[in-house]
Amino acid sequence: MIKIASLHKWFGKLHVLKGIDLTVDEQEVVVLIGASGSGKSTLLRCINFLEAPQQGRIFIDGEVVDPRGKNLHSIRQEVGMVFQHFNLFPHMTVLGNVIEGPAQVKRLARAEAVKIGMELLEKVGLSDKAETYPAMLSGGQKQRVAIARALAMRPKIMLFDEPTSALDPELVGEVLQVMQELANEGMTMIVVSHEMGFAREVADRVIFMDEGVIVEEGDPDLIYSKPQNERTQEFLSRIL
Amino acid sequence: MFDLPWDFTIIPSYMPLFVPVAFVTLQITTLGILMGLLLGLLFGLMRISPLWVLNGPARLYIWAIRGTPLLLQLFIIYYGFSSIARVPGFLAAVLGLAIHNGAYLAEIIRGSIQSIDRGQREAAYSLGMTRWQAMRRIVLPQAFKRAVPPLGNQFIIALKDSSLASTIAVHELLHRARVLWSSNFRTMEMLIIAGIFYLFMTTIFTLVVGRIEHRLKASEYRS
Ligand SMILES: Nc1ncnc2c1ncn2[C@@H]1O[C@H](COP(=O)(O)OP(=O)(O)O)[C@@H](O)[C@H]1O
Ligand SMILES: [Mg+2]
C-alpha cells in the first residue's frame, strides 16, 4: 500500500530523518511512538509532502510519488491527514468544512458533496452540528469533524499526528472510538500517539522512533511489555 | 485680501452649497480605494510570492509610493504628464489615490495573509487543494476578515487625503470652501463647514466598519 525507502530530511543543517524504511500494508494500523523531536511529525508530513524530503522515495500503491510532478495533488487526495490542533476552517460551518474537499477539489455537485458530508457527520456522531461553526465545538467534536473532513476525500490511507494530545482527558475517548471504528472498517492508518490502550487494542504494529531512525518495531503487546532496545525501554519507562 | 469678523450664524445657510461637492469627495475616495484594493491585492500577493520576478516589482512599488508624498504623486499624474496628455483633475485624483493607497493596502493585505496560521494552508493542501485554491478558499476569506479594521482605517485616511485633490482643480469639499471664501471672505466659517462634512463622513464610516467587524465576528460563533 505505502512504501517508504531510505527517506532523509534535513531542516537546514538539522538532520531530522536519517534513512527511514517503512512499509505499511493495506488495512494495516501502525502506531508511531517516540520522544518529542524524534521526527514523527516530519515523517507523516513527508508522506503527503507537506515537507519535501531531500532523499529517498515514497511509493503509494506501487507508484512513486514525485513532488514536482502533477500527481502531487492527486496523491494528497488519497492521503488523509488529521492534525494535533484540528486546523478546521473557522469561517465555514461544520458541514462546510467536510464538503470543502469533495466540492472544491473533486468538483462534485453540491448536493452530492452534502450527501457525503452528512453521511460522514453521522458516522462521527455530529450530524446535529452540521450548521454550527467550529468555534462552538469542544475539542473532541472538532477533532471528529477533522476526521470526517479528511474521510470526505475517500482517502486510501489516513495519517493522524497526535490527534488526542491537545484534548482534555475526558474528550480523548470519543476520538479514539471513531478511530477504532475506522480501523475496524479496514482503513489503512499511521497514527502518532502515545495512547497505549489504543495501540494495544487497535494497532497491528508499533514503531518506536528515536532521533530520526526507526529503532524498534513489532507487535504492540511485545513492544510495550518486552521492549528489546535500550532506548525503547528508557522511553517507555518515562511515559508509562 | 481681508476677512470679515467671525459670524458663525451664517454656517447653516451655507451648508447646502457643500452637499454636491461632498459627493465628489466621496466618489474620489470610493473609486480610489476600490481601485487601490485591486492594486493592493495584486501587489500584496506578489509581495509574498517566493519568486523575485513577482516580489521584486511589488517591493519596488511599495517602497517608492510609501516613501514619497501623495501630493507629489498627484502632481506627477496631473502636471508631469501634461506634455503627453492632459489628465483631467478628477481622473488624476482617483488614480493618485488608487496608486497611493494600493501600496498601503498591499502591506495590510500581506500582513493579514501572513497572520493566518500555517496549519490552515496545510489542512487545505492535505485535502489536495492547489496553492491558489487554498489561497482563495481558505486563506483570503480569513485574511479579509482580519483586515477589516485596518482597511477601514485606510479608507478614512484616503477620505481625508482626497482633500489634496483641491490643489489640482477638483471640485471637492476643500476646493469649494476656498472658492467660497475668496468671494465672501468668510474663511473660518467655510473651513468649519468643510470640517463638519469630513467629520460627518468619517464618523458614519467608523460606525459602519465597527458594525461589519462585529457581524463578521459573530458569524463564526453561530451554532
Ligand atoms: N519547519 C521546521 N523547521 C526547522 N526545524 C524543524 C521544522 N519542523 C520540525 N523541525 C525540527 O525537526 C525535529 C523533529 O521534529 P518533529 O518531526 O516535529 O518531531 P516529533 O513530531 O517527533 O516531536 C525537531 O528538532 C524540530 O525542532
Ligand atoms: Mg509531532
mmCIF file of all heavy atoms in Angstrom, chain B residues 2 17 56 81 95 123 152 171-172 193 203 215:
data_model
loop_
_atom_site.group_PDB
_atom_site.id
_atom_site.type_symbol
_atom_site.label_atom_id
_atom_site.label_comp_id
_atom_site.label_asym_id
_atom_site.label_seq_id
_atom_site.Cartn_x
_atom_site.Cartn_y
_atom_site.Cartn_z
ATOM 1 N N PHE B 2 -8.805 90.570 2.756
ATOM 2 C CA PHE B 2 -9.159 90.794 4.164
ATOM 3 C C PHE B 2 -10.298 89.844 4.539
ATOM 4 O O PHE B 2 -10.992 89.315 3.695
ATOM 5 C CB PHE B 2 -9.609 92.240 4.374
ATOM 6 C CG PHE B 2 -10.886 92.572 3.651
ATOM 7 C CD1 PHE B 2 -12.100 92.576 4.350
ATOM 8 C CD2 PHE B 2 -10.884 92.870 2.275
ATOM 9 C CE1 PHE B 2 -13.266 92.874 3.667
ATOM 10 C CE2 PHE B 2 -12.074 93.153 1.623
ATOM 11 C CZ PHE B 2 -13.252 93.169 2.303
ATOM 12 N N LEU B 17 -24.633 74.323 0.057
ATOM 13 C CA LEU B 17 -23.710 74.517 -1.065
ATOM 14 C C LEU B 17 -22.601 73.465 -1.085
ATOM 15 O O LEU B 17 -21.954 73.256 -2.106
ATOM 16 C CB LEU B 17 -23.071 75.904 -0.971
ATOM 17 C CG LEU B 17 -23.999 77.078 -1.267
ATOM 18 C CD1 LEU B 17 -23.264 78.408 -1.039
ATOM 19 C CD2 LEU B 17 -24.509 77.003 -2.706
ATOM 20 N N GLY B 56 9.857 41.301 -6.371
ATOM 21 C CA GLY B 56 10.734 42.440 -6.643
ATOM 22 C C GLY B 56 9.957 43.689 -7.046
ATOM 23 O O GLY B 56 10.073 44.736 -6.400
ATOM 24 N N PHE B 81 2.571 64.627 -16.658
ATOM 25 C CA PHE B 81 2.269 64.035 -17.964
ATOM 26 C C PHE B 81 1.706 65.050 -18.951
ATOM 27 O O PHE B 81 1.312 64.703 -20.046
ATOM 28 C CB PHE B 81 1.265 62.886 -17.813
ATOM 29 C CG PHE B 81 1.882 61.638 -17.234
ATOM 30 C CD1 PHE B 81 1.785 61.355 -15.885
ATOM 31 C CD2 PHE B 81 2.575 60.758 -18.065
ATOM 32 C CE1 PHE B 81 2.364 60.212 -15.351
ATOM 33 C CE2 PHE B 81 3.152 59.609 -17.543
ATOM 34 C CZ PHE B 81 3.046 59.341 -16.187
ATOM 35 N N LEU B 95 -6.812 58.187 -9.727
ATOM 36 C CA LEU B 95 -5.617 57.374 -9.987
ATOM 37 C C LEU B 95 -4.579 57.552 -8.885
ATOM 38 O O LEU B 95 -3.995 56.584 -8.392
ATOM 39 C CB LEU B 95 -5.000 57.747 -11.332
ATOM 40 C CG LEU B 95 -5.752 57.275 -12.576
ATOM 41 C CD1 LEU B 95 -5.045 57.766 -13.847
ATOM 42 C CD2 LEU B 95 -5.868 55.759 -12.584
ATOM 43 N N ALA B 123 -3.880 22.183 6.105
ATOM 44 C CA ALA B 123 -5.111 21.398 6.052
ATOM 45 C C ALA B 123 -5.685 21.434 4.638
ATOM 46 O O ALA B 123 -6.152 20.420 4.110
ATOM 47 C CB ALA B 123 -6.123 21.939 7.057
ATOM 48 N N GLY B 152 -10.588 49.678 7.011
ATOM 49 C CA GLY B 152 -11.484 50.782 7.344
ATOM 50 C C GLY B 152 -10.694 52.032 7.683
ATOM 51 O O GLY B 152 -11.020 53.142 7.256
ATOM 52 N N HIS B 171 -13.246 69.760 -7.965
ATOM 53 C CA HIS B 171 -14.237 70.497 -7.185
ATOM 54 C C HIS B 171 -14.791 69.635 -6.067
ATOM 55 O O HIS B 171 -15.919 69.170 -6.125
ATOM 56 C CB HIS B 171 -15.349 71.010 -8.097
ATOM 57 C CG HIS B 171 -14.856 71.987 -9.112
ATOM 58 N ND1 HIS B 171 -15.652 72.940 -9.689
ATOM 59 C CD2 HIS B 171 -13.615 72.182 -9.642
ATOM 60 C CE1 HIS B 171 -14.938 73.677 -10.542
ATOM 61 N NE2 HIS B 171 -13.699 73.225 -10.524
ATOM 62 N N GLU B 172 -13.967 69.445 -5.057
ATOM 63 C CA GLU B 172 -14.406 68.676 -3.891
ATOM 64 C C GLU B 172 -14.571 69.619 -2.703
ATOM 65 O O GLU B 172 -14.615 70.837 -2.886
ATOM 66 C CB GLU B 172 -13.465 67.493 -3.629
ATOM 67 C CG GLU B 172 -11.983 67.774 -3.661
ATOM 68 C CD GLU B 172 -11.565 68.626 -2.507
ATOM 69 O OE1 GLU B 172 -11.475 68.113 -1.372
ATOM 70 O OE2 GLU B 172 -11.334 69.826 -2.743
ATOM 71 N N ILE B 193 -17.268 74.552 7.934
ATOM 72 C CA ILE B 193 -18.284 73.741 7.244
ATOM 73 C C ILE B 193 -17.631 72.518 6.587
ATOM 74 O O ILE B 193 -18.109 71.389 6.722
ATOM 75 C CB ILE B 193 -19.040 74.571 6.179
ATOM 76 C CG1 ILE B 193 -19.811 75.702 6.867
ATOM 77 C CG2 ILE B 193 -20.019 73.670 5.413
ATOM 78 C CD1 ILE B 193 -20.475 76.655 5.892
ATOM 79 N N THR B 203 -17.191 59.796 10.656
ATOM 80 C CA THR B 203 -17.899 59.187 11.783
ATOM 81 C C THR B 203 -18.829 58.080 11.310
ATOM 82 O O THR B 203 -18.844 56.978 11.857
ATOM 83 C CB THR B 203 -18.706 60.250 12.544
ATOM 84 O OG1 THR B 203 -17.813 61.288 12.932
ATOM 85 C CG2 THR B 203 -19.362 59.664 13.775
ATOM 86 N N ARG B 215 -20.353 42.011 13.067
ATOM 87 C CA ARG B 215 -21.086 40.966 12.335
ATOM 88 C C ARG B 215 -20.191 39.798 11.981
ATOM 89 O O ARG B 215 -20.540 38.644 12.158
ATOM 90 C CB ARG B 215 -21.622 41.531 11.010
ATOM 91 C CG ARG B 215 -22.843 42.367 11.158
ATOM 92 C CD ARG B 215 -24.098 41.566 10.805
ATOM 93 N NE ARG B 215 -25.266 42.383 11.042
ATOM 94 C CZ ARG B 215 -25.802 43.141 10.102
ATOM 95 N NH1 ARG B 215 -25.294 43.143 8.888
ATOM 96 N NH2 ARG B 215 -26.850 43.874 10.375
#
